[in-house]
Amino acid sequence: MMIKKLIQLVVIFIISSGIILSMNLISSSERLSTENLVNSFSLEGEKQLIVDGFDYISIVGDENLTDTVEVYQTLIWEQKGKKLDDRLNGKMSYNRGKLLYEGKQIENYYIYETNPFLAFYLSRDLTESLHSRYIIKVPTHIEAKSINFRSCYHD
Amino acid sequence: MKDNRIKMRAWNGIIKNLYYDYRVAFKVGFIISAVIVISMFIVNTIAIGIDGSVSGKSNGGAMNFTAMTALITILVSSIDLTSKKGLESKFFFPLNKMVWSLANFVMMAFAAFVFTTMSLALTAIEMILSNILSANSAHFLFVSNFSLYEYTGGTITLFMYILVWGSIVYCLFMYFRKYLIVSLVGFTLLIIFPIIRGGQLYVHVINFFVLEDVILFFILKFLALTLLLHGLAYLPFRKMEVVK
C-alpha cells in the first residue's frame, strides 16, 4: 500500500514539475528581451541607467569598490502593455561588495536567485522587485567592469 | 530467517501506524492550502468582474501557503508523536526502540516529500488558473517567477526546511518528555544566554545552514543536521519507559 502511495506521489511530483516548468517556458520570450537589455549595459561614463525588467538584478561588483552605487527600485507592474502601478518602492545600494536596502545590509543577496521560498520571508519588497524598473546611479569615475548586471533568468 | 521476518513485521506495523497518524496532517494541510488557492482565484475573478481595474499576480503564493501549513501540521504531528499517548500507542510486539526511531526518521522524510509534492501540485494548479484568467481578461496578468534553477533550488529547500523543522520539534519534545524541568531550564538558558551577551551567535549558526548558495552543500548540511537531531532524540528515548 505504501509503495503504491509513493508511486502516486512521484507521478504527481513529475506532472506538477512539468506544468510549472512548461509555464515558465511559455513566457520565456518576454524575459529574453529583458535579459538582452540588462546585459547590454556599459557603465563607463554613465551617470544614470534605467533598467526595465520583470525580474530582479543582482549586482556583482569589485570587493574593493568604495563608492556607493544607488539602485532606486520603482515598481511599474507592466507587462503586455498593461500598466498597473507606479510607485517608488525603496532604495538599494551597493558598497564594498554589500548590497544595502534602505540602509540595511542584505547579506548573501544571491539567495533570491536560488530560493524563492525563503525570499518571500526575508523581504516581500525585494521579491516584488521581480516586476521593477531600476534606476541606477553610478559615480562617473567607477571603472566600466566593476559592476555587472544580470537577470535572474539565467539558467 | 525468523528474526528477519519478525523485524519486517515490526517495520511494516510501525510504518503503517505512523502513516495513519500523518494522514490526518496531510489531509488538513492539503484542504487548507487548496481552499486558499481556489478562493484567491475566485476573489480575483469577482474583483475583475466588479471593478474592472487592472491587477497582477506572481506565482509563489500556493508554495508559501502550503509551506506554512506544512510547518504547522508537522509541528503538531511531532508534538503528538512524542506525547505519552503517542509513544505508548505505538508499541506492540516485536517493535523495539531502534526500529521505532528509524521508522520516525523515514516517515518524517516521507511527510516532507508529501508536503513538497502537495506544494508543487497546488503551485501548478495556481499557475493554470492564473494563466486562464490572464488569457481571458485584459485586466489581469500573471508573471511566472520560476526559472529552472530557482525551481530546483526552491523545491529542495522546501523539502529540507520541512524535514529539519519536524526533526527539531521531535528532538526538542523528546527531551521535554523525558527531562521536562531540566530541558526547560536548559532550553531557556540556551535562548537567553546569547541574547544577554548581545552576540549574533544564532544568526551566524542559522546563516551557516540557510545562506548556502551551493545546493549540494546545502543538502549535506541539512541532512547532517537532521541525522544529528534524530540521533540526539534517540538518547532520552532509549532510557524512557514505554509500556503497552
Side-chain angles (χ1 to χ4, degrees), chain B residues 1 4 27 43 59 63-64 72 92 98 103 135 145 147 149 159 167-168 176 190-191 194 206-207 222 224:
Chain B
M1 187 71 181
N4 282 343
K27 277 185 182 170
V43 168
N59 59 11
M63 180 177 261
N64 292 314
I72 293 165
F92 47 86
M98 178 57 89
N145 299 344
S147 67
Y149 187 63
F159 175 82
S167 306
I168 290 170
F176 284 162
L190 218 61
I191 296 280
I206 292 168
N207 284 355
F222 269 71

PDB file of all heavy atoms in Angstrom, chain B residues 1 4 27 43 59 63-64 72 92 98 103 135 145 147 149 159 167-168 176 190-191 194 206-207 222 224:
ATOM      1  N   MET B   1      16.415 -16.190   9.813  1.00  0.00           N
ATOM      2  CA  MET B   1      15.243 -16.141   8.919  1.00  0.00           C
ATOM      3  C   MET B   1      14.000 -15.676   9.669  1.00  0.00           C
ATOM      4  O   MET B   1      13.292 -14.772   9.245  1.00  0.00           O
ATOM      5  CB  MET B   1      15.029 -17.546   8.324  1.00  0.00           C
ATOM      6  CG  MET B   1      13.954 -17.601   7.236  1.00  0.00           C
ATOM      7  SD  MET B   1      14.480 -16.792   5.721  1.00  0.00           S
ATOM      8  CE  MET B   1      13.032 -17.003   4.734  1.00  0.00           C
ATOM      9  N   ASN B   4      14.477 -12.123  10.802  1.00  0.00           N
ATOM     10  CA  ASN B   4      14.202 -11.174   9.721  1.00  0.00           C
ATOM     11  C   ASN B   4      12.704 -10.963   9.530  1.00  0.00           C
ATOM     12  O   ASN B   4      12.253  -9.848   9.282  1.00  0.00           O
ATOM     13  CB  ASN B   4      14.816 -11.666   8.404  1.00  0.00           C
ATOM     14  CG  ASN B   4      16.301 -11.400   8.367  1.00  0.00           C
ATOM     15  OD1 ASN B   4      16.805 -10.601   9.156  1.00  0.00           O
ATOM     16  ND2 ASN B   4      16.995 -12.087   7.482  1.00  0.00           N
ATOM     17  N   LYS B  27      -4.075  15.531   5.025  1.00  0.00           N
ATOM     18  CA  LYS B  27      -5.403  15.952   4.556  1.00  0.00           C
ATOM     19  C   LYS B  27      -5.691  17.393   4.958  1.00  0.00           C
ATOM     20  O   LYS B  27      -6.137  18.200   4.144  1.00  0.00           O
ATOM     21  CB  LYS B  27      -6.477  15.021   5.140  1.00  0.00           C
ATOM     22  CG  LYS B  27      -6.651  13.743   4.341  1.00  0.00           C
ATOM     23  CD  LYS B  27      -7.785  12.927   4.884  1.00  0.00           C
ATOM     24  CE  LYS B  27      -7.895  11.621   4.099  1.00  0.00           C
ATOM     25  NZ  LYS B  27      -8.812  10.675   4.717  1.00  0.00           N
ATOM     26  N   VAL B  43     -11.794  35.113  -5.853  1.00  0.00           N
ATOM     27  CA  VAL B  43     -11.807  36.537  -5.453  1.00  0.00           C
ATOM     28  C   VAL B  43     -11.258  37.406  -6.582  1.00  0.00           C
ATOM     29  O   VAL B  43     -11.828  38.464  -6.908  1.00  0.00           O
ATOM     30  CB  VAL B  43     -10.987  36.737  -4.147  1.00  0.00           C
ATOM     31  CG1 VAL B  43     -10.728  38.212  -3.873  1.00  0.00           C
ATOM     32  CG2 VAL B  43     -11.710  36.104  -2.979  1.00  0.00           C
ATOM     33  N   ASN B  59       3.646  34.086  -9.182  1.00  0.00           N
ATOM     34  CA  ASN B  59       3.471  32.792  -8.501  1.00  0.00           C
ATOM     35  C   ASN B  59       4.283  32.735  -7.206  1.00  0.00           C
ATOM     36  O   ASN B  59       5.050  33.614  -6.888  1.00  0.00           O
ATOM     37  CB  ASN B  59       3.802  31.631  -9.430  1.00  0.00           C
ATOM     38  CG  ASN B  59       5.216  31.700  -9.938  1.00  0.00           C
ATOM     39  OD1 ASN B  59       6.011  32.492  -9.457  1.00  0.00           O
ATOM     40  ND2 ASN B  59       5.530  30.898 -10.909  1.00  0.00           N
ATOM     41  N   MET B  63       2.845  27.981  -3.041  1.00  0.00           N
ATOM     42  CA  MET B  63       4.003  27.343  -2.411  1.00  0.00           C
ATOM     43  C   MET B  63       4.167  27.831  -0.966  1.00  0.00           C
ATOM     44  O   MET B  63       4.377  27.047  -0.046  1.00  0.00           O
ATOM     45  CB  MET B  63       5.268  27.642  -3.204  1.00  0.00           C
ATOM     46  CG  MET B  63       6.506  27.009  -2.613  1.00  0.00           C
ATOM     47  SD  MET B  63       7.955  27.286  -3.593  1.00  0.00           S
ATOM     48  CE  MET B  63       8.062  25.762  -4.481  1.00  0.00           C
ATOM     49  N   ASN B  64       3.982  29.127  -0.782  1.00  0.00           N
ATOM     50  CA  ASN B  64       4.149  29.680   0.559  1.00  0.00           C
ATOM     51  C   ASN B  64       3.035  29.243   1.506  1.00  0.00           C
ATOM     52  O   ASN B  64       3.290  28.927   2.662  1.00  0.00           O
ATOM     53  CB  ASN B  64       4.217  31.206   0.485  1.00  0.00           C
ATOM     54  CG  ASN B  64       5.473  31.665  -0.210  1.00  0.00           C
ATOM     55  OD1 ASN B  64       6.551  31.163   0.076  1.00  0.00           O
ATOM     56  ND2 ASN B  64       5.351  32.577  -1.146  1.00  0.00           N
ATOM     57  N   ILE B  72       3.233  24.042  10.225  1.00  0.00           N
ATOM     58  CA  ILE B  72       2.334  23.996  11.395  1.00  0.00           C
ATOM     59  C   ILE B  72       1.869  22.550  11.653  1.00  0.00           C
ATOM     60  O   ILE B  72       1.898  22.074  12.795  1.00  0.00           O
ATOM     61  CB  ILE B  72       1.127  24.940  11.192  1.00  0.00           C
ATOM     62  CG1 ILE B  72       1.615  26.392  11.173  1.00  0.00           C
ATOM     63  CG2 ILE B  72       0.100  24.756  12.307  1.00  0.00           C
ATOM     64  CD1 ILE B  72       0.620  27.395  10.641  1.00  0.00           C
ATOM     65  N   PHE B  92       4.036  -2.288  20.192  1.00  0.00           N
ATOM     66  CA  PHE B  92       3.410  -3.604  20.144  1.00  0.00           C
ATOM     67  C   PHE B  92       4.511  -4.589  19.733  1.00  0.00           C
ATOM     68  O   PHE B  92       5.468  -4.218  19.049  1.00  0.00           O
ATOM     69  CB  PHE B  92       2.239  -3.637  19.143  1.00  0.00           C
ATOM     70  CG  PHE B  92       2.580  -3.022  17.823  1.00  0.00           C
ATOM     71  CD1 PHE B  92       3.195  -3.770  16.836  1.00  0.00           C
ATOM     72  CD2 PHE B  92       2.331  -1.670  17.583  1.00  0.00           C
ATOM     73  CE1 PHE B  92       3.525  -3.199  15.621  1.00  0.00           C
ATOM     74  CE2 PHE B  92       2.669  -1.099  16.371  1.00  0.00           C
ATOM     75  CZ  PHE B  92       3.266  -1.863  15.383  1.00  0.00           C
ATOM     76  N   MET B  98      14.831   1.057  18.615  1.00  0.00           N
ATOM     77  CA  MET B  98      15.635   1.428  17.451  1.00  0.00           C
ATOM     78  C   MET B  98      14.779   1.457  16.183  1.00  0.00           C
ATOM     79  O   MET B  98      14.855   2.403  15.384  1.00  0.00           O
ATOM     80  CB  MET B  98      16.799   0.426  17.307  1.00  0.00           C
ATOM     81  CG  MET B  98      17.697   0.670  16.108  1.00  0.00           C
ATOM     82  SD  MET B  98      18.404   2.307  16.086  1.00  0.00           S
ATOM     83  CE  MET B  98      19.898   2.092  17.022  1.00  0.00           C
ATOM     84  N   ALA B 103      11.994   4.319  11.993  1.00  0.00           N
ATOM     85  CA  ALA B 103      10.721   4.487  11.279  1.00  0.00           C
ATOM     86  C   ALA B 103      10.258   5.936  11.334  1.00  0.00           C
ATOM     87  O   ALA B 103       9.704   6.463  10.368  1.00  0.00           O
ATOM     88  CB  ALA B 103       9.669   3.570  11.884  1.00  0.00           C
ATOM     89  N   ALA B 135      -5.334  35.026 -19.653  1.00  0.00           N
ATOM     90  CA  ALA B 135      -5.617  34.929 -21.091  1.00  0.00           C
ATOM     91  C   ALA B 135      -7.008  35.472 -21.430  1.00  0.00           C
ATOM     92  O   ALA B 135      -7.244  35.957 -22.534  1.00  0.00           O
ATOM     93  CB  ALA B 135      -5.509  33.470 -21.524  1.00  0.00           C
ATOM     94  N   ASN B 145       7.623  33.429 -11.887  1.00  0.00           N
ATOM     95  CA  ASN B 145       8.950  33.795 -11.371  1.00  0.00           C
ATOM     96  C   ASN B 145       9.967  32.679 -11.475  1.00  0.00           C
ATOM     97  O   ASN B 145      11.141  32.881 -11.236  1.00  0.00           O
ATOM     98  CB  ASN B 145       8.861  34.157  -9.884  1.00  0.00           C
ATOM     99  CG  ASN B 145       7.960  35.314  -9.631  1.00  0.00           C
ATOM    100  OD1 ASN B 145       7.621  36.039 -10.546  1.00  0.00           O
ATOM    101  ND2 ASN B 145       7.558  35.489  -8.395  1.00  0.00           N
ATOM    102  N   SER B 147      12.550  30.092 -12.662  1.00  0.00           N
ATOM    103  CA  SER B 147      13.430  29.570 -13.705  1.00  0.00           C
ATOM    104  C   SER B 147      13.748  28.141 -13.282  1.00  0.00           C
ATOM    105  O   SER B 147      13.409  27.728 -12.169  1.00  0.00           O
ATOM    106  CB  SER B 147      14.708  30.401 -13.796  1.00  0.00           C
ATOM    107  OG  SER B 147      15.456  30.229 -12.618  1.00  0.00           O
ATOM    108  N   TYR B 149      16.520  26.833 -12.449  1.00  0.00           N
ATOM    109  CA  TYR B 149      17.438  26.843 -11.309  1.00  0.00           C
ATOM    110  C   TYR B 149      16.691  27.176 -10.017  1.00  0.00           C
ATOM    111  O   TYR B 149      16.867  26.541  -8.985  1.00  0.00           O
ATOM    112  CB  TYR B 149      18.560  27.849 -11.567  1.00  0.00           C
ATOM    113  CG  TYR B 149      19.650  27.816 -10.518  1.00  0.00           C
ATOM    114  CD1 TYR B 149      20.419  26.667 -10.336  1.00  0.00           C
ATOM    115  CD2 TYR B 149      19.904  28.916  -9.721  1.00  0.00           C
ATOM    116  CE1 TYR B 149      21.407  26.626  -9.379  1.00  0.00           C
ATOM    117  CE2 TYR B 149      20.888  28.886  -8.761  1.00  0.00           C
ATOM    118  CZ  TYR B 149      21.636  27.738  -8.594  1.00  0.00           C
ATOM    119  OH  TYR B 149      22.619  27.707  -7.639  1.00  0.00           O
ATOM    120  N   PHE B 159      11.779  21.081   0.847  1.00  0.00           N
ATOM    121  CA  PHE B 159      11.842  19.723   1.407  1.00  0.00           C
ATOM    122  C   PHE B 159      12.715  19.702   2.666  1.00  0.00           C
ATOM    123  O   PHE B 159      12.327  19.171   3.707  1.00  0.00           O
ATOM    124  CB  PHE B 159      12.396  18.751   0.344  1.00  0.00           C
ATOM    125  CG  PHE B 159      12.620  17.362   0.855  1.00  0.00           C
ATOM    126  CD1 PHE B 159      11.567  16.466   0.932  1.00  0.00           C
ATOM    127  CD2 PHE B 159      13.875  16.952   1.274  1.00  0.00           C
ATOM    128  CE1 PHE B 159      11.768  15.179   1.425  1.00  0.00           C
ATOM    129  CE2 PHE B 159      14.079  15.667   1.768  1.00  0.00           C
ATOM    130  CZ  PHE B 159      13.024  14.782   1.832  1.00  0.00           C
ATOM    131  N   SER B 167      12.221  17.590  12.550  1.00  0.00           N
ATOM    132  CA  SER B 167      13.243  16.942  13.375  1.00  0.00           C
ATOM    133  C   SER B 167      13.561  17.765  14.622  1.00  0.00           C
ATOM    134  O   SER B 167      13.781  17.205  15.705  1.00  0.00           O
ATOM    135  CB  SER B 167      14.532  16.733  12.569  1.00  0.00           C
ATOM    136  OG  SER B 167      14.251  16.038  11.393  1.00  0.00           O
ATOM    137  N   ILE B 168      13.605  19.095  14.458  1.00  0.00           N
ATOM    138  CA  ILE B 168      13.888  19.966  15.613  1.00  0.00           C
ATOM    139  C   ILE B 168      12.793  19.784  16.678  1.00  0.00           C
ATOM    140  O   ILE B 168      13.073  19.577  17.856  1.00  0.00           O
ATOM    141  CB  ILE B 168      13.986  21.457  15.183  1.00  0.00           C
ATOM    142  CG1 ILE B 168      15.258  21.685  14.364  1.00  0.00           C
ATOM    143  CG2 ILE B 168      13.967  22.385  16.390  1.00  0.00           C
ATOM    144  CD1 ILE B 168      15.333  23.049  13.703  1.00  0.00           C
ATOM    145  N   PHE B 176      11.845  17.150  26.332  1.00  0.00           N
ATOM    146  CA  PHE B 176      10.826  17.668  27.258  1.00  0.00           C
ATOM    147  C   PHE B 176      10.057  16.513  27.903  1.00  0.00           C
ATOM    148  O   PHE B 176       9.683  16.558  29.055  1.00  0.00           O
ATOM    149  CB  PHE B 176       9.832  18.578  26.518  1.00  0.00           C
ATOM    150  CG  PHE B 176      10.387  19.941  26.202  1.00  0.00           C
ATOM    151  CD1 PHE B 176       9.794  20.740  25.232  1.00  0.00           C
ATOM    152  CD2 PHE B 176      11.497  20.438  26.865  1.00  0.00           C
ATOM    153  CE1 PHE B 176      10.303  21.998  24.930  1.00  0.00           C
ATOM    154  CE2 PHE B 176      12.020  21.687  26.575  1.00  0.00           C
ATOM    155  CZ  PHE B 176      11.424  22.467  25.601  1.00  0.00           C
ATOM    156  N   LEU B 190      19.567  28.512  26.887  1.00  0.00           N
ATOM    157  CA  LEU B 190      20.125  28.465  25.530  1.00  0.00           C
ATOM    158  C   LEU B 190      19.592  29.610  24.668  1.00  0.00           C
ATOM    159  O   LEU B 190      20.283  30.144  23.808  1.00  0.00           O
ATOM    160  CB  LEU B 190      19.748  27.125  24.884  1.00  0.00           C
ATOM    161  CG  LEU B 190      20.787  26.460  23.993  1.00  0.00           C
ATOM    162  CD1 LEU B 190      22.043  26.140  24.769  1.00  0.00           C
ATOM    163  CD2 LEU B 190      20.206  25.201  23.373  1.00  0.00           C
ATOM    164  N   ILE B 191      18.348  29.980  24.931  1.00  0.00           N
ATOM    165  CA  ILE B 191      17.734  31.091  24.186  1.00  0.00           C
ATOM    166  C   ILE B 191      18.231  32.421  24.722  1.00  0.00           C
ATOM    167  O   ILE B 191      18.612  33.318  23.965  1.00  0.00           O
ATOM    168  CB  ILE B 191      16.181  31.042  24.315  1.00  0.00           C
ATOM    169  CG1 ILE B 191      15.613  29.766  23.679  1.00  0.00           C
ATOM    170  CG2 ILE B 191      15.526  32.303  23.750  1.00  0.00           C
ATOM    171  CD1 ILE B 191      15.482  29.789  22.187  1.00  0.00           C
ATOM    172  N   PRO B 194      22.741  33.893  24.657  1.00  0.00           N
ATOM    173  CA  PRO B 194      23.336  34.702  23.575  1.00  0.00           C
ATOM    174  C   PRO B 194      22.691  36.085  23.460  1.00  0.00           C
ATOM    175  O   PRO B 194      23.360  37.037  23.069  1.00  0.00           O
ATOM    176  CB  PRO B 194      23.046  33.887  22.313  1.00  0.00           C
ATOM    177  CG  PRO B 194      22.712  32.540  22.787  1.00  0.00           C
ATOM    178  CD  PRO B 194      22.081  32.702  24.114  1.00  0.00           C
ATOM    179  N   ILE B 206      22.398  30.096  12.010  1.00  0.00           N
ATOM    180  CA  ILE B 206      21.325  29.978  11.004  1.00  0.00           C
ATOM    181  C   ILE B 206      21.870  30.303   9.614  1.00  0.00           C
ATOM    182  O   ILE B 206      21.596  29.603   8.642  1.00  0.00           O
ATOM    183  CB  ILE B 206      20.119  30.887  11.371  1.00  0.00           C
ATOM    184  CG1 ILE B 206      19.444  30.348  12.635  1.00  0.00           C
ATOM    185  CG2 ILE B 206      19.109  30.954  10.227  1.00  0.00           C
ATOM    186  CD1 ILE B 206      18.447  31.276  13.266  1.00  0.00           C
ATOM    187  N   ASN B 207      22.667  31.363   9.550  1.00  0.00           N
ATOM    188  CA  ASN B 207      23.264  31.734   8.262  1.00  0.00           C
ATOM    189  C   ASN B 207      24.135  30.614   7.687  1.00  0.00           C
ATOM    190  O   ASN B 207      24.141  30.380   6.484  1.00  0.00           O
ATOM    191  CB  ASN B 207      24.119  33.001   8.403  1.00  0.00           C
ATOM    192  CG  ASN B 207      23.256  34.236   8.490  1.00  0.00           C
ATOM    193  OD1 ASN B 207      22.030  34.158   8.355  1.00  0.00           O
ATOM    194  ND2 ASN B 207      23.853  35.380   8.722  1.00  0.00           N
ATOM    195  N   PHE B 222      21.965  20.193   5.782  1.00  0.00           N
ATOM    196  CA  PHE B 222      20.638  19.938   6.348  1.00  0.00           C
ATOM    197  C   PHE B 222      20.438  18.460   6.670  1.00  0.00           C
ATOM    198  O   PHE B 222      19.783  18.124   7.656  1.00  0.00           O
ATOM    199  CB  PHE B 222      19.546  20.450   5.405  1.00  0.00           C
ATOM    200  CG  PHE B 222      19.160  21.863   5.701  1.00  0.00           C
ATOM    201  CD1 PHE B 222      20.026  22.902   5.415  1.00  0.00           C
ATOM    202  CD2 PHE B 222      17.944  22.161   6.287  1.00  0.00           C
ATOM    203  CE1 PHE B 222      19.697  24.214   5.705  1.00  0.00           C
ATOM    204  CE2 PHE B 222      17.605  23.475   6.585  1.00  0.00           C
ATOM    205  CZ  PHE B 222      18.484  24.502   6.296  1.00  0.00           C
ATOM    206  N   ALA B 224      22.853  16.347   7.484  1.00  0.00           N
ATOM    207  CA  ALA B 224      23.665  16.076   8.682  1.00  0.00           C
ATOM    208  C   ALA B 224      22.935  16.568   9.927  1.00  0.00           C
ATOM    209  O   ALA B 224      22.893  15.884  10.955  1.00  0.00           O
ATOM    210  CB  ALA B 224      25.026  16.761   8.552  1.00  0.00           C
TER     211      ALA B 224
END
